Amino acid sequence: MSFVTTRDQRRQLERDNAKWPKHLEPVPRSLWPETMHKADNLLAVFRSRTFLVMKFAAEKPAIVRLSVNRTTLSGDRWADNITWDELQAIKLELGYFSEDAVEVYPPATDVVNVANMRHIWILTEPLPFAWRRRA
């Protein structure tokens, strides 16, 4: 999803980002945009100066889905290039220390790419095929 912003709006976004801490904090429901209130499976929203994370209810074998995007713009889209390390840090920061998570790459016919967002599903059970550190 792209959108057009003015220089003043981009500068205001930079000022708003600077007000948030480096770590994720819960965003009170009273501050959620109207569009977020319409998502019936949205459980929580978290924000830092760098990321916006939406936590959604998910069907088994997942516990939740975390949808992550940066809070900065690159042209007319949200900035991308969210690294594996950043996603892992977000997963840990939200308390999912012991759970595996997956990111899905669907068949071409099912791709939905409307914004620079990453989605990870936190799983109820360990993946049988994941690498594990040996004791």
Side-chain angles (χ1 to χ4, degrees), residues 5-6 25 30 33 36 40-41 48 59 61 66 70 74 77 82 87 102 104 108-109 131 133-134:
T5 57
T6 65
E25 282 192 356
S30 61
M36 286 185 180
D40 58 353
N41 60 343
S48 70
E59 293 182 21
L66 302 178
R70 291 195 183 277
S74 177
R77 293 175 61 95
I82 301 170
L87 287 173
V102 296
V104 176
T109 55
W131 283 308
R133 185 177 291 178
R134 303 230 185 251

Side-chain angles (χ1 to χ4, degrees), residues 65-82:
R65 172 176 48 102
L66 302 178
S67 295
V68 181
N69 67 276
R70 291 195 183 277
T71 59
T72 54
L73 295 173
S74 177
D76 61 352
R77 293 175 61 95
W78 294 112
D80 61 359
N81 296 321
I82 301 170

Side-chain angles (χ1 to χ4, degrees), residues 72-118:
T72 54
L73 295 173
S74 177
D76 61 352
R77 293 175 61 95
W78 294 112
D80 61 359
N81 296 321
I82 301 170
T83 68
W84 183 93
D85 291 324
E86 289 169 325
L87 287 173
Q88 178 73 354
I90 288 167
K91 175 184 165 285
L92 296 176
E93 192 171 343
L94 293 182
Y96 299 105
F97 303 99
S98 302
E99 292 80 9
D100 282 339
V102 296
E103 188 170 28
V104 176
Y105 295 86
T109 55
D110 292 333
V111 170
V112 178
N113 187 11
V114 296
N116 285 332
M117 298 183 86
R118 302 281 292 277

Side-chain angles (χ1 to χ4, degrees), residues 20 23 30-31 37-38 60 70 75 110 113 118 127 130-132:
W20 287 91
H23 64 277
S30 61
L31 298 179
H37 287 283
K38 294 178 182 177
K60 287 186 177 181
R70 291 195 183 277
D110 292 333
N113 187 11
R118 302 281 292 277
L127 287 168
W131 283 308
R132 303 286 176 205

